[in-house]
Amino acid sequence: MEKREQLYEGKAKKVFLTDDPDLLIVSYKDDATAFDGQKKGTIVGKGAINNRMTNHIFRLLEKEGVPTHLVEELNDRETLVKKVEIVPLEVIIRNFSAGSFAKKLGMEEGIKLACPTLEFSYKNDDLHDPFINSYYALALNLATQEEIDTITKYAFTVNKVLREYFAGLGIELIDFKIEFGRYHGQIILADEVSPDTCRLWDKETHEKLDKDRFRRDLGNVEDAYQEVFRRLGIQ
Ligand code: TMP
């Protein structure tokens, strides 16, 4: 597959065209940002870890009936994916209180919720990804009702599969954010699943093994990403 010109550069990935109009190459960077890009840094080795971890998890999810954009891992940092039109919704599932949820509700972090929650943010950096509900999504033509239903169904399946999978690695899946795209009219999982986009706590010690170490200046950021990767047991 021939890599052509760069289509887009995001905060954590670059995207390249290929000679197939249906396929793109994503290239994961070591760059890290937080708070809408106000905080910038580098997490050495992150690009390769997030690339390989996302692909490993997407293969697992495909087996469980969640279609994804994954086509083929090309090398440590690059993957061939289906070219989707991203649905401009950040889909967030929470199993425990943390982050903006804990802050908004005046809760401490790490309280188990009575059931998993799902929320949407409108993917718009200028507006700081505001929290919206499905009625806003419909009113703003961000997605159809059928798409929202499919996204909701897949998101809860992703949660069930990943919660069990991470539990087997001694990791509690606190919360995560995923994104979906449209590919020839079908909704499929796109973007990434990595310590950048999930809160992952060691089940025993509750040590944070995710990007909160970078966001909150907790130190040992690289070690945390490597520890998650090591537990995945990817050869
Ligand atoms: P929040 O508690 O800050 O709303 O974050 C919820 C989840 O979404 C958490 O796992 C981190 C992830 N997340 C992203 O992937 N990208 C973002 O820009 C933000 C703010 C959160």
Side-chain angles (χ1 to χ4, degrees), residues 163-183:
R163 237 181 133 171
E164 282 169 21
Y165 177 70
F166 282 119
L169 308 179
I171 291 172
E172 195 74 74
L173 178 61
I174 301 295
D175 59 29
F176 61 92
K177 183 269 301 179
I178 48 180
E179 297 181 23
F180 292 88
R182 300 180 183 100
Y183 185 72

Side-chain angles (χ1 to χ4, degrees), residues 11-88:
K11 287 180 286 208
K13 297 187 277 302
K14 293 179 184 173
V15 180
F16 297 88
L17 295 170
T18 68
D19 46 19
D20 184 332
D22 267 344
L23 301 178
L24 298 174
I25 292 172
V26 289
S27 178
Y28 286 71
K29 305 191 286 185
D30 284 354
D31 299 353
T33 66
F35 316 117
D36 298 318
Q38 282 179 58
K39 180 182 172 90
K40 288 190 172 69
T42 302
I43 302 174
V44 177
K46 173 172 89 78
I49 288 174
N50 288 4
N51 180 44
R52 300 191 63 203
M53 175 169 172
T54 296
N55 294 340
H56 179 74
I57 285 175
F58 279 16
R59 281 182 219 111
L60 175 69
L61 291 170
E62 289 267 2
K63 279 193 217 137
E64 301 289 342
V66 179
T68 78
H69 72 172
L70 173 62
V71 177
E72 186 190 358
E73 187 169 292
L74 300 175
N75 56 55
D76 262 10
R77 279 179 193 273
E78 295 183 320
T79 295
L80 188 64
V81 300
K82 293 172 180 163
K83 183 177 196 288
V84 299
E85 179 194 359
I86 288 284
V87 178

Side-chain angles (χ1 to χ4, degrees), residues 195 208-210 213 220-229:
K208 293 178 173 43
L209 300 173
D210 58 61
R213 302 205 74 83
N220 300 325
V221 184
E222 277 90 358
D223 293 345
Y225 279 70
Q226 272 163 23
E227 177 59 16
V228 172
F229 188 67

